Amino acid sequence: MTTTATPTPAATMTTPADPATTTYWTRIDSPLGALLLIADRTGALTSLSVPDQKGGRTVREDWVHDPGRFRAAEEQLRAYFAGDLEEFSLPLRTHGTAFQERVWAALDSVPYGATTTYGGIAARIGASRAAVRAVGGAIGANPLLLLRPCHRVIGADGSLTGYAGGLERKVRLLTLEGALAS
């Protein structure tokens, strides 16, 4: 006699995500629009995007929505937008080329309320003036908008050049920080 096994409910359910490789996400309301925060399994933030951001991330089907993982980020972002926080203290993890990582680390040294130029970032990482265009490309690829303050980088002539989140948002951030007159 041949019998056929009946699938158990567990066998017909979707397999839960592997916690070792799971990507977590949430959205947080802000003056810049709904911020999309993405973190890895350790809780390190890997991306912060604003709506309609050039190169911004979008939620994937296999990611897990878990607002609880982002409580510290939400508290610090709210304090920043309220003018009560000048420096973020959050675990961050990026995956770029060695050059991009050097540029992104240099962004961390630009203080709240200050600006620098693309040439200034090139000098901070020991790159030549000829590398300014490459520095601009790396800054434009910054996955941690706002947390890594690429909005503090301006043109050599003082102009508010490119910002992946849009120039209007760049103006809002620099005004909030006191780097621009309101």
Side-chain angles (χ1 to χ4, degrees), residues 20-163:
T21 59
T22 301
T23 299
Y24 299 91
W25 70 276
T26 197
R27 282 198 174 83
I28 297 172
D29 289 331
S30 84
L32 303 179
L35 305 178
L36 173 62
L37 280 74
I38 301 169
D40 65 15
R41 67 176 179 78
T42 69
L45 294 169
T46 59
S47 179
L48 186 154
S49 299
V50 297
D52 303 318
Q53 174 184 329
K54 179 183 172 191
R57 304 287 302 268
T58 55
V59 177
R60 291 183 18 186
E61 229 177 81
D62 59 332
W63 292 356
V64 176
H65 183 241
D66 185 359
R69 287 184 177 267
F70 299 90
R71 295 230 192 286
E74 183 173 10
E75 289 170 10
Q76 289 186 36
L77 285 162
R78 289 199 193 293
Y80 170 80
F81 286 117
D84 298 330
L85 181 74
E86 295 183 358
E87 190 173 321
F88 294 101
S89 177
L90 297 165
L92 307 176
R93 180 165 294 120
T94 52
H95 300 286
T97 66
F99 182 78
Q100 287 173 324
E101 293 289 346
R102 288 189 359 246
V103 169
W104 298 338
L107 292 173
D108 293 337
S109 68
V110 182
Y112 182 95
T115 59
T116 190
T117 63
Y118 294 91
I121 293 292
R124 286 176 199 231
I125 66 168
S128 70
R129 290 278 300 149
V132 168
R133 183 171 291 204
V135 165
I139 290 171
N142 172 20
L144 290 163
L145 212 65
L146 183 67
L147 300 175
R148 288 254 159 98
C150 52
H151 59 278
R152 297 178 187 154
V153 182
I154 61 175
D157 62 358
S159 62
L160 299 181
T161 59
Y163 183 61

